[in-house]
Amino acid sequence: MDRETMLQEAAEFIQERDDFLLLTHVQPDGDAYGSTLGMAHLLQTLGKRYTIANEDPVVDKFRFLPMSEKFQLSSEITRSFSHVIALDCGDIRRLGESAALLADEAEILNIDHHKTNDLFGRANLVDLEAAATSQIVFTLAKHLELDLNIGGAICLYTGILTDTGGFRYSNTTVEVHQIVAGLLDVGINPFEISDRVLESLTWNQVQLIREALGSLQRDESGKVAWLSVSRPLLNRLGASDEDAEGLVSYARNVQGVEVGILFREKEDGSIKVSLRSKYRVDVGEIALSFGGGGHARAAGCTMPGPAEQVQLQVLTKVREAIVS
Ligand code: AMP
Ligand code: MN
Ligand code: MN
Protein backbone atom coordinates (compact mmCIF):
# COMPACT_ATOMS: atom_id res chain seq x y z
CA MET A 1 0.00 0.00 0.00
CA ASP A 2 1.39 3.43 -0.84
CA ARG A 3 2.17 6.06 1.73
CA GLU A 4 -0.72 8.41 0.91
CA THR A 5 -3.27 5.59 1.27
CA MET A 6 -1.77 4.49 4.58
CA LEU A 7 -1.76 8.09 5.84
CA GLN A 8 -5.39 8.52 4.82
CA GLU A 9 -6.40 5.26 6.54
CA ALA A 10 -4.59 6.29 9.70
CA ALA A 11 -6.21 9.75 9.59
CA GLU A 12 -9.66 8.17 9.24
CA PHE A 13 -8.96 5.68 12.02
CA ILE A 14 -8.32 8.61 14.36
CA GLN A 15 -11.04 10.94 13.08
CA GLU A 16 -13.80 8.30 13.27
CA ARG A 17 -13.01 7.13 16.80
CA ASP A 18 -12.42 8.46 20.31
CA ASP A 19 -11.07 7.21 23.65
CA PHE A 20 -7.73 5.78 22.51
CA LEU A 21 -5.15 3.74 24.34
CA LEU A 22 -1.62 4.76 23.28
CA LEU A 23 0.99 2.03 23.65
CA THR A 24 4.63 1.64 22.77
CA HIS A 25 7.24 -1.05 23.30
CA VAL A 26 8.60 -2.32 26.62
CA GLN A 27 11.66 -0.49 27.92
CA PRO A 28 10.91 2.51 25.73
CA ASP A 29 13.68 4.44 23.98
CA GLY A 30 13.61 8.09 22.87
CA ASP A 31 11.58 7.35 19.76
CA ALA A 32 9.07 5.25 21.70
CA TYR A 33 8.48 8.08 24.19
CA GLY A 34 8.71 10.80 21.55
CA SER A 35 6.29 9.27 19.04
CA THR A 36 3.77 8.28 21.74
CA LEU A 37 3.78 11.71 23.37
CA GLY A 38 3.83 13.42 19.96
CA MET A 39 0.68 11.46 19.11
CA ALA A 40 -0.85 12.45 22.46
CA HIS A 41 -0.28 16.11 21.53
CA LEU A 42 -2.05 15.55 18.19
CA LEU A 43 -5.02 13.86 19.89
CA GLN A 44 -5.18 16.71 22.40
CA THR A 45 -5.34 19.23 19.53
CA LEU A 46 -8.11 17.17 17.92
CA GLY A 47 -10.06 17.15 21.21
CA LYS A 48 -9.89 13.35 21.49
CA ARG A 49 -9.65 11.42 24.76
CA TYR A 50 -6.69 9.14 25.32
CA THR A 51 -4.84 7.08 27.92
CA ILE A 52 -1.12 6.31 27.75
CA ALA A 53 0.26 3.15 29.32
CA ASN A 54 3.45 1.14 29.62
CA GLU A 55 4.53 -1.69 31.88
CA ASP A 56 7.53 0.37 33.01
CA PRO A 57 7.61 3.85 34.60
CA VAL A 58 9.09 6.68 32.50
CA VAL A 59 12.88 6.72 32.94
CA ASP A 60 14.38 9.86 34.52
CA LYS A 61 16.14 10.96 31.35
CA PHE A 62 12.87 11.39 29.44
CA ARG A 63 10.77 12.96 32.18
CA PHE A 64 11.41 16.40 30.67
CA LEU A 65 9.21 15.46 27.71
CA PRO A 66 6.00 17.50 27.82
CA MET A 67 3.07 15.30 28.99
CA SER A 68 5.39 12.44 30.02
CA GLU A 69 3.52 12.53 33.35
CA LYS A 70 0.50 11.13 31.45
CA PHE A 71 2.17 7.72 31.20
CA GLN A 72 0.37 5.30 33.52
CA LEU A 73 1.55 1.88 34.65
CA SER A 74 -0.48 -0.71 32.75
CA SER A 75 -0.75 -2.79 35.94
CA GLU A 76 -2.67 0.08 37.55
CA ILE A 77 -5.31 0.41 34.81
CA THR A 78 -8.50 -1.50 35.53
CA ARG A 79 -10.48 -1.11 32.28
CA SER A 80 -9.94 -2.31 28.72
CA PHE A 81 -9.82 -0.35 25.45
CA SER A 82 -11.35 -0.89 22.01
CA HIS A 83 -9.25 1.69 20.14
CA VAL A 84 -5.53 1.29 20.38
CA ILE A 85 -2.65 3.15 18.74
CA ALA A 86 0.62 1.19 18.90
CA LEU A 87 3.76 3.22 18.23
CA ASP A 88 7.29 2.01 17.39
CA CYS A 89 6.35 -1.68 17.79
CA GLY A 90 7.25 -4.23 15.12
CA ASP A 91 4.87 -6.83 16.47
CA ILE A 92 2.27 -7.21 19.18
CA ARG A 93 4.63 -9.01 21.57
CA ARG A 94 6.58 -5.76 21.92
CA LEU A 95 3.63 -4.33 23.91
CA GLY A 96 4.54 -6.64 26.78
CA GLU A 97 2.11 -6.72 29.69
CA SER A 98 0.18 -3.72 28.31
CA ALA A 99 -1.42 -6.05 25.75
CA ALA A 100 -3.71 -7.18 28.59
CA LEU A 101 -5.51 -3.81 28.31
CA LEU A 102 -6.85 -4.59 24.83
CA ALA A 103 -10.55 -5.48 24.62
CA ASP A 104 -11.33 -8.73 22.78
CA GLU A 105 -12.33 -6.99 19.56
CA ALA A 106 -9.88 -4.10 19.92
CA GLU A 107 -8.99 -2.24 16.72
CA ILE A 108 -5.33 -1.30 16.46
CA LEU A 109 -3.64 1.44 14.47
CA ASN A 110 -0.04 0.30 14.02
CA ILE A 111 2.39 3.19 13.42
CA ASP A 112 5.96 1.99 12.99
CA HIS A 113 9.18 1.90 10.97
CA HIS A 114 10.72 -1.49 11.81
CA LYS A 115 11.77 -3.67 8.92
CA THR A 116 10.37 -6.69 10.76
CA ASN A 117 6.89 -5.14 11.25
CA ASP A 118 4.26 -7.84 10.67
CA LEU A 119 1.34 -5.41 9.99
CA PHE A 120 -0.58 -6.49 13.09
CA GLY A 121 -3.01 -3.53 13.00
CA ARG A 122 -6.50 -3.08 11.65
CA ALA A 123 -4.86 -0.03 10.02
CA ASN A 124 -1.12 0.04 9.42
CA LEU A 125 0.95 3.18 8.91
CA VAL A 126 4.29 1.46 8.46
CA ASP A 127 7.10 3.25 6.64
CA LEU A 128 10.36 1.32 6.50
CA GLU A 129 12.11 4.34 4.99
CA ALA A 130 11.33 6.52 8.01
CA ALA A 131 14.24 7.06 10.38
CA ALA A 132 11.91 7.17 13.38
CA THR A 133 8.28 6.56 14.27
CA SER A 134 8.31 10.20 15.44
CA GLN A 135 9.00 11.17 11.82
CA ILE A 136 5.86 9.29 10.72
CA VAL A 137 3.80 11.04 13.40
CA PHE A 138 5.05 14.38 12.03
CA THR A 139 3.95 13.37 8.53
CA LEU A 140 0.56 12.32 9.91
CA ALA A 141 0.17 15.73 11.62
CA LYS A 142 0.81 17.42 8.27
CA HIS A 143 -1.67 15.08 6.56
CA LEU A 144 -4.27 16.04 9.20
CA GLU A 145 -3.33 19.70 8.60
CA LEU A 146 -2.58 20.16 12.28
CA ASP A 147 -0.16 22.76 13.60
CA LEU A 148 2.29 21.29 16.08
CA ASN A 149 2.60 23.08 19.38
CA ILE A 150 5.96 23.38 21.09
CA GLY A 151 5.32 20.39 23.38
CA GLY A 152 4.58 18.11 20.45
CA ALA A 153 7.60 19.42 18.56
CA ILE A 154 9.93 18.70 21.50
CA CYS A 155 8.66 15.10 21.68
CA LEU A 156 8.97 14.41 17.94
CA TYR A 157 12.41 16.06 17.74
CA THR A 158 13.61 13.86 20.62
CA GLY A 159 12.45 10.71 18.83
CA ILE A 160 14.15 11.63 15.57
CA LEU A 161 17.31 12.77 17.34
CA THR A 162 17.71 9.51 19.27
CA ASP A 163 16.81 7.06 16.45
CA THR A 164 19.27 8.77 14.08
CA GLY A 165 22.01 8.85 16.75
CA GLY A 166 22.07 12.63 16.52
CA PHE A 167 21.66 12.67 12.70
CA ARG A 168 24.69 10.41 12.20
CA TYR A 169 23.22 7.01 11.25
CA SER A 170 22.54 5.95 7.67
CA ASN A 171 18.79 6.53 8.15
CA THR A 172 19.42 10.31 8.19
CA THR A 173 17.89 11.54 4.93
CA VAL A 174 17.00 14.80 3.23
CA GLU A 175 13.45 14.33 4.51
CA VAL A 176 14.71 13.94 8.09
CA HIS A 177 16.48 17.29 7.85
CA GLN A 178 13.45 18.92 6.25
CA ILE A 179 11.16 17.67 9.01
CA VAL A 180 13.61 18.73 11.68
CA ALA A 181 13.76 22.20 10.13
CA GLY A 182 9.97 22.29 10.51
CA LEU A 183 10.30 21.31 14.18
CA LEU A 184 12.94 23.99 14.82
CA ASP A 185 10.60 26.50 13.21
CA VAL A 186 8.08 25.81 15.97
CA GLY A 187 10.67 27.24 18.39
CA ILE A 188 12.24 24.28 20.23
CA ASN A 189 15.73 24.50 21.73
CA PRO A 190 17.72 21.71 20.04
CA PHE A 191 20.81 22.14 22.21
CA GLU A 192 18.87 21.62 25.40
CA ILE A 193 17.37 18.39 24.05
CA SER A 194 20.62 16.89 22.76
CA ASP A 195 22.34 17.85 26.00
CA ARG A 196 19.71 15.94 27.97
CA VAL A 197 19.36 12.86 25.80
CA LEU A 198 22.71 12.40 24.05
CA GLU A 199 25.41 14.22 26.00
CA SER A 200 24.50 13.42 29.60
CA LEU A 201 25.71 10.27 31.36
CA THR A 202 24.78 9.29 34.89
CA TRP A 203 27.67 8.42 37.21
CA ASN A 204 26.47 4.79 37.12
CA GLN A 205 26.62 4.80 33.33
CA VAL A 206 30.24 5.92 33.34
CA GLN A 207 31.17 3.24 35.90
CA LEU A 208 29.40 0.69 33.74
CA ILE A 209 31.25 1.83 30.61
CA ARG A 210 34.54 1.43 32.47
CA GLU A 211 33.71 -2.11 33.57
CA ALA A 212 31.97 -3.25 30.38
CA LEU A 213 34.89 -2.17 28.20
CA GLY A 214 36.94 -4.75 30.10
CA SER A 215 34.82 -7.42 28.40
CA LEU A 216 35.25 -6.06 24.85
CA GLN A 217 36.51 -8.73 22.46
CA ARG A 218 36.74 -9.21 18.73
CA ASP A 219 37.08 -12.28 16.56
CA GLU A 220 40.13 -13.23 14.46
CA SER A 221 38.78 -11.40 11.41
CA GLY A 222 38.31 -8.18 13.37
CA LYS A 223 34.85 -7.83 11.83
CA VAL A 224 32.82 -8.79 14.89
CA ALA A 225 33.25 -7.24 18.33
CA TRP A 226 31.16 -7.80 21.45
CA LEU A 227 30.71 -6.78 25.07
CA SER A 228 28.99 -8.56 27.95
CA VAL A 229 27.24 -7.16 30.97
CA SER A 230 26.32 -9.64 33.68
CA ARG A 231 23.67 -9.23 36.35
CA PRO A 232 26.23 -9.33 39.19
CA LEU A 233 28.07 -6.43 37.51
CA LEU A 234 24.89 -4.34 37.22
CA ASN A 235 23.97 -5.16 40.81
CA ARG A 236 27.42 -4.29 42.12
CA LEU A 237 27.31 -0.87 40.45
CA GLY A 238 23.66 -0.29 41.32
CA ALA A 239 23.16 0.26 37.58
CA SER A 240 19.84 -0.21 35.78
CA ASP A 241 19.07 -1.81 32.42
CA GLU A 242 18.83 1.68 30.86
CA ASP A 243 22.36 2.44 32.03
CA ALA A 244 23.58 -0.23 29.57
CA GLU A 245 21.91 1.58 26.64
CA GLY A 246 24.51 2.81 24.17
CA LEU A 247 27.27 0.40 25.22
CA VAL A 248 26.89 -1.56 21.99
CA SER A 249 28.28 1.36 19.97
CA TYR A 250 31.73 0.81 21.55
CA ALA A 251 31.78 -2.61 19.86
CA ARG A 252 30.40 -1.36 16.54
CA ASN A 253 32.65 1.70 16.41
CA VAL A 254 35.93 -0.22 16.47
CA GLN A 255 37.66 0.30 13.13
CA GLY A 256 37.18 -2.67 10.81
CA VAL A 257 34.17 -3.99 12.72
CA GLU A 258 31.05 -4.73 10.68
CA VAL A 259 28.86 -6.07 13.50
CA GLY A 260 28.94 -4.96 17.15
CA ILE A 261 27.03 -6.90 19.79
CA LEU A 262 26.06 -6.36 23.43
CA PHE A 263 24.99 -9.31 25.57
CA ARG A 264 23.18 -8.11 28.70
CA GLU A 265 21.86 -10.45 31.36
CA LYS A 266 18.32 -9.57 32.44
CA GLU A 267 16.90 -10.02 35.93
CA ASP A 268 15.26 -13.33 35.01
CA GLY A 269 18.55 -14.71 33.67
CA SER A 270 17.60 -14.36 30.00
CA ILE A 271 20.01 -12.49 27.71
CA LYS A 272 19.13 -9.29 25.86
CA VAL A 273 21.15 -9.16 22.65
CA SER A 274 21.66 -5.81 20.90
CA LEU A 275 23.06 -5.92 17.37
CA ARG A 276 24.48 -3.05 15.30
CA SER A 277 26.01 -3.25 11.83
CA LYS A 278 27.96 -0.72 9.82
CA TYR A 279 27.44 -1.24 6.10
CA ARG A 280 26.34 -4.63 4.95
CA VAL A 281 24.97 -7.17 7.40
CA ASP A 282 21.19 -7.18 7.93
CA VAL A 283 21.05 -7.58 11.70
CA GLY A 284 17.24 -7.24 11.62
CA GLU A 285 17.10 -10.63 9.89
CA ILE A 286 19.47 -12.15 12.44
CA ALA A 287 17.42 -10.80 15.37
CA LEU A 288 14.22 -12.04 13.71
CA SER A 289 15.66 -15.54 13.43
CA PHE A 290 16.12 -15.50 17.22
CA GLY A 291 12.58 -14.27 17.91
CA GLY A 292 13.38 -10.53 18.04
CA GLY A 293 13.37 -7.86 15.38
CA GLY A 294 14.48 -4.38 14.39
CA HIS A 295 16.11 -2.60 11.48
CA ALA A 296 18.84 -3.61 9.04
CA ARG A 297 21.51 -1.71 11.03
CA ALA A 298 20.08 -1.90 14.58
CA ALA A 299 18.17 -4.79 16.04
CA GLY A 300 17.66 -6.84 19.15
CA CYS A 301 16.29 -10.00 20.68
CA THR A 302 15.99 -11.67 24.06
CA MET A 303 17.12 -15.29 24.41
CA PRO A 304 17.00 -17.78 27.27
CA GLY A 305 20.43 -18.16 28.91
CA PRO A 306 22.99 -19.29 29.74
CA ALA A 307 25.11 -16.44 28.40
CA GLU A 308 27.84 -18.67 26.93
CA GLN A 309 25.33 -20.57 24.81
CA VAL A 310 23.63 -17.40 23.59
CA GLN A 311 27.03 -15.93 22.64
CA LEU A 312 27.93 -19.03 20.69
CA GLN A 313 24.60 -19.11 18.83
CA VAL A 314 24.63 -15.41 17.97
CA LEU A 315 28.31 -15.24 17.01
CA THR A 316 27.89 -18.25 14.71
CA LYS A 317 24.94 -16.63 12.93
CA VAL A 318 26.73 -13.28 12.65
CA ARG A 319 29.88 -14.87 11.20
CA GLU A 320 27.75 -16.76 8.64
CA ALA A 321 26.15 -13.47 7.61
CA ILE A 322 29.55 -11.80 7.27
CA VAL A 323 31.06 -14.43 4.98
CA SER A 324 27.95 -14.86 2.84
P1 AMP B 1 18.18 -2.15 21.06
O1 AMP B 1 19.32 -3.04 20.75
O2 AMP B 1 17.35 -2.62 22.21
O3 AMP B 1 18.57 -0.71 21.20
O4 AMP B 1 17.20 -2.23 19.84
C1 AMP B 1 17.58 -1.95 18.53
C2 AMP B 1 16.36 -2.01 17.64
O5 AMP B 1 15.85 -3.33 17.61
C3 AMP B 1 15.23 -1.12 18.10
O6 AMP B 1 14.66 -0.52 16.98
C4 AMP B 1 14.28 -2.06 18.78
O7 AMP B 1 12.96 -1.62 18.62
C5 AMP B 1 14.52 -3.38 18.08
N1 AMP B 1 14.43 -4.47 19.05
C6 AMP B 1 15.18 -4.62 20.16
N2 AMP B 1 14.85 -5.72 20.86
C7 AMP B 1 13.83 -6.30 20.19
C8 AMP B 1 13.02 -7.47 20.41
N3 AMP B 1 13.18 -8.27 21.46
N4 AMP B 1 12.05 -7.74 19.49
C9 AMP B 1 11.88 -6.93 18.43
N5 AMP B 1 12.60 -5.83 18.16
C10 AMP B 1 13.57 -5.50 19.02
MN1 MN C 1 12.19 2.05 19.78
MN1 MN D 1 12.03 3.79 16.43
Side-chain angles (χ1 to χ4, degrees), residues 1 26 62 73 76 84 96 106 122 144 172 178-179 182 211 227 242 253 265 281 306:
M1 202 185 284
V26 296
F62 291 107
L73 285 177
E76 289 175 0
V84 178
R122 152 88 175 250
L144 287 162
T172 309
Q178 283 164 340
I179 288 173
E211 299 276 345
L227 301 144
E242 294 87 57
N253 290 354
E265 188 180 354
V281 172

Side-chain angles (χ1 to χ4, degrees), residues 140-215:
L140 181 60
K142 293 294 130 189
H143 188 86
L144 287 162
E145 297 179 353
L146 293 178
D147 282 330
L148 277 171
N149 56 24
I150 194 133
I154 289 172
C155 296
L156 297 182
Y157 182 85
T158 301
I160 298 171
L161 182 76
T162 50
D163 261 22
T164 58
F167 312 113
R168 288 174 304 171
Y169 301 155
S170 57
N171 56 1
T172 309
T173 58
V174 171
E175 195 181 353
V176 164
H177 285 289
Q178 283 164 340
I179 288 173
V180 163
L183 294 172
L184 296 195
D185 249 349
V186 179
I188 64 169
N189 180 341
F191 167 70
E192 193 189 320
I193 300 175
S194 48
D195 186 46
R196 280 176 186 277
V197 304
L198 298 180
E199 303 293 344
S200 302
L201 296 171
T202 61
W203 185 249
N204 278 346
Q205 267 177 310
V206 184
Q207 303 311 306
L208 185 58
I209 292 168
R210 188 194 343 237
E211 299 276 345
L213 282 178
S215 75

Side-chain angles (χ1 to χ4, degrees), residues 25 29 31-32 88 114 163:
H25 59 78
D29 50 24
D31 187 33
D88 203 40
H114 288 91
D163 261 22

